[in-house]
Amino acid sequence: MNSKKNNVPHGLFKRCPKCDYSIYSKELQLSLWVCPKCDYHFRLPARRRIKMLIDEGTFKEYDSDISTSDPLGFKDIKTYPEKVSEYVKKSGLNEAAVSGTAKIGGYDVSLCVLDFYFMGGSMGSAVGEKVCRAGERALRKKIPFIAVSASGGARMQEGILSLMQMAKTSAVIAKLDKEKIPYFSVMCDPTTGGVSASFAMLGDVNIAESRALIAFAGPRVIKQTIKQDLPPDFQSAEFVRDHGMIDIVVDREDLRGELIRLLRLFSGKPANK
Amino acid sequence: MPDLKRAFPHFEEPIVKIQDKIDRLLDSDPGSPIVTKLQKERDKLVKKIFSSLTPWQKVQLARHPMRPYAMDYIESVFDDFVELRGDRNFADDRAIMGGPASLDGTTVMVIGTQKGRTAEESVERNFGMPHPEGYRKALRLMKIAEKFSFPVVTLIDTPGAYPGIGAEERGQAEAIAKNLRDMMEMKIPVIVTITGEGGSGGALGLGVGDKILMLENSVYFVCTPEACSAILWRDASKATVAAGTMRLTAADLLELDVIDDVVPEPPGGAHWNRQDMYDTYKKRLKHHLGALKRTSSENLFIKRYEKFRKMGVFENTKK
């Protein structure tokens, strides 16, 4: 589950991976990293995503001290620690999730955002732990929990322990459920495998960004299995919504507004700014 | 005894050869002293081969075509099984079966993935790969169990949840996710057993419980060794290497604190002496159920939560 390495929008110009249009970085920034020509939503690194969602200057990061271990001593072509340290260097993050508290439209929330550019946003023990702690923080503070996912699924290099993160994160959602703490799940491109099949699909409200790939099994695996072509738009956010799994599909520019509306409705009171 | 004409893993070949001889002799000359000699030889060989199985060999054993499946355990360990079918929504998924049954007088809800043994049956059971409606049926049955205070017993042997168009359209991810959350909240004891292949999210969708058991030669993994090697090594032929590094055997998982108990299999694996396997399993199952009986439903939740909450290994630099 590797990310396309050079897709992080930086530099003076950026080429849209979908329509090949060259865009000024400044312009791209103003359009929230959405291609002005074809509406392609660039995948966002976690910190950029957070900045875009929250009230300026309100983010308080937690658990940045949690990082990857190598419980299996895993080695494929490279050792797992080697691979991780490459991503750490490239991303400036120490894992594929950034979490903390913030205000959105004046409402306090606990936030956990996955970063697809860090090993495909894959969930190993550290990511699972960060999701759980962010959920538990919402429980303690009695504030809504927002998880923003962008992930290929469970991280293979931690084997069965990664699989168990699905149960672990869903356990925290069960607690939020019991304590009636609102949980809004935002799914971005892509949200698949062990992340879609655990906490990401369990929102009281499930939201997805336009045209994001949302799936259990990715299209390549399905194509290989059934040896048929897939229907057009199969597993797009819109397709998944039309099949009943997602409540709201939004363009990126509307995501924050939609979240504020939900926060207001679920709290039943105006924000305390 | 296994049907010797069926496919079996290579490392079993010498054992099968001796067994063949024994069976032929028993047919023609049952009193022959050679039989006893051959039997001794066979037992020695079994011991030798099975004392040093590689992880990949365990994968092969877990997938052995003669391995007992859920239905075999249901018929041999429980009485009065009544199959309940359908998710009350879309369909009845034949890859998952379940219903109430009696375990020496105690009603339990047994739910398991079911592979097929013949080609026809395999197609009917979709090779043990459930669709969303299978997971939803399982949850429906668990809710019945909760309502009437029956403990739940799940038996898992699946390559994984089915990756297909219909499965995606009907929300495979949602169905599994919901089971993970709702099984966490079950107010009755849940005992999970991996009997063969614990294939990723498809297995975990029935795999959240108070006690997680694995049969000695079963395996449990985040993705199949084949998929792992194709993705990480970019070479599908590295599956044996992948299996070696993934830590997927019952012993590995016990060491990693993912499971609670390894149920020993008879020499040669569950398929060489089924009755022995059923007896051992029944004893272990009753032991765990008995121990959980005294736990209140609120405590079940607290303990189950803690159990899964602490899974995983990571660094925490500033404490």
Side-chain angles (χ1 to χ4, degrees), chain B residues 171-207:
Chain B
Q172 189 75 285
E174 193 273 347
I176 291 171
K178 194 170 179 198
N179 278 19
L180 301 186
R181 184 191 66 195
D182 290 3
M183 287 182 83
M184 187 59 61
E185 294 189 71
M186 283 289 151
K187 294 188 172 69
I188 31 108
V190 179
I191 296 191
V192 174
T193 309
I194 312 287
T195 60
E197 241 181 316
S200 193
L204 191 63
L206 297 180

Side-chain angles (χ1 to χ4, degrees), chain A residues 65 67 129 136 216-217 235, chain B residues 168 305 309 315-316 318:
Chain A
D65 50 327
S67 60
E129 183 67 19
E136 287 168 336
F216 173 66
Q235 300 180 316
Chain B
E168 293 290 322
Y305 184 86
R309 181 63 186 84
E315 304 287 337
N316 197 344
K318 82 177 176 263

Side-chain angles (χ1 to χ4, degrees), chain A residues 212-226:
Chain A
L213 172 77
I214 294 165
F216 173 66
R220 217 166 15 131
V221 175
I222 296 177
K223 237 175 155 171
Q224 259 170 28
T225 310
I226 63 171

Side-chain angles (χ1 to χ4, degrees), chain B residues 44-82:
Chain B
K44 239 167 89 185
L45 198 60
V46 167
K47 219 172 174 185
K48 190 176 153 225
I49 292 174
F50 275 74
S51 63
S52 58
L53 288 177
T54 65
W56 177 248
Q57 287 173 328
K58 293 229 172 184
V59 172
Q60 291 177 295
L61 265 184
R63 291 173 177 166
H64 199 290
M66 294 313 294
R67 202 164 168 83
Y69 295 150
M71 195 59 210
D72 302 307
Y73 287 97
I74 289 172
E75 279 175 354
S76 309
V77 173
F78 306 89
D79 299 303
D80 289 337
F81 173 68
V82 177

Side-chain angles (χ1 to χ4, degrees), chain A residues 1-2 64-69 71-77 83 125-126 129 132-133 136 154 156-168 170-175 177-178 196-198 201-202 214-217 221-222 225-226 228-231 234-235 239 243 245, chain B residues 129 136 161-166 168-174 176-182 184-185 187 198-204 208 220-223 227-228 231-234 241-242 245-247 253 256 258 298 301 305 308-319:
Chain A
M1 275 162 236
N2 291 317
S64 59
D65 50 327
I66 289 176
S67 60
T68 321
S69 180
L72 309 190
F74 197 91
K75 181 175 185 285
D76 44 74
I77 296 162
K83 224 176 224 179
S125 302
E129 183 67 19
C132 286
R133 288 190 185 196
E136 287 168 336
M156 276 176 277
Q157 289 88 343
E158 289 180 40
I160 194 75
L161 293 173
S162 296
L163 188 73
M164 291 304 139
Q165 302 310 305
M166 294 170 66
K168 175 168 134 181
S170 302
V172 174
I173 306 304
K175 254 198 181 169
D177 195 44
K178 263 170 106 103
S196 70
S198 65
M201 269 295 166
L202 294 173
I214 294 165
F216 173 66
V221 175
I222 296 177
T225 310
I226 63 171
Q228 283 173 40
D229 282 331
L230 303 174
F234 181 62
Q235 300 180 316
F239 174 96
H243 283 85
M245 304 301 148
Chain B
M129 292 185 280
R136 292 180 181 130
Y162 187 63
I165 292 178
E168 293 290 322
E169 286 177 335
R170 299 193 292 279
Q172 189 75 285
E174 193 273 347
I176 291 171
K178 194 170 179 198
N179 278 19
L180 301 186
R181 184 191 66 195
D182 290 3
M184 187 59 61
E185 294 189 71
K187 294 188 172 69
S200 193
L204 191 63
V208 176
Y220 197 1
F221 42 68
V222 64
C223 66
C228 183
I231 296 167
L232 295 183
W233 277 263
R234 298 195 184 98
V241 183
T245 188
M246 287 171 78
R247 305 209 60 191
L253 268 65
L256 289 166
V258 170
E298 192 48 34
F301 176 77
Y305 184 86
F308 283 91
R309 181 63 186 84
K310 69 174 173 38
M311 285 190 192
V313 180
F314 53 87
E315 304 287 337
N316 197 344
T317 42
K318 82 177 176 263
K319 275 256 162 154

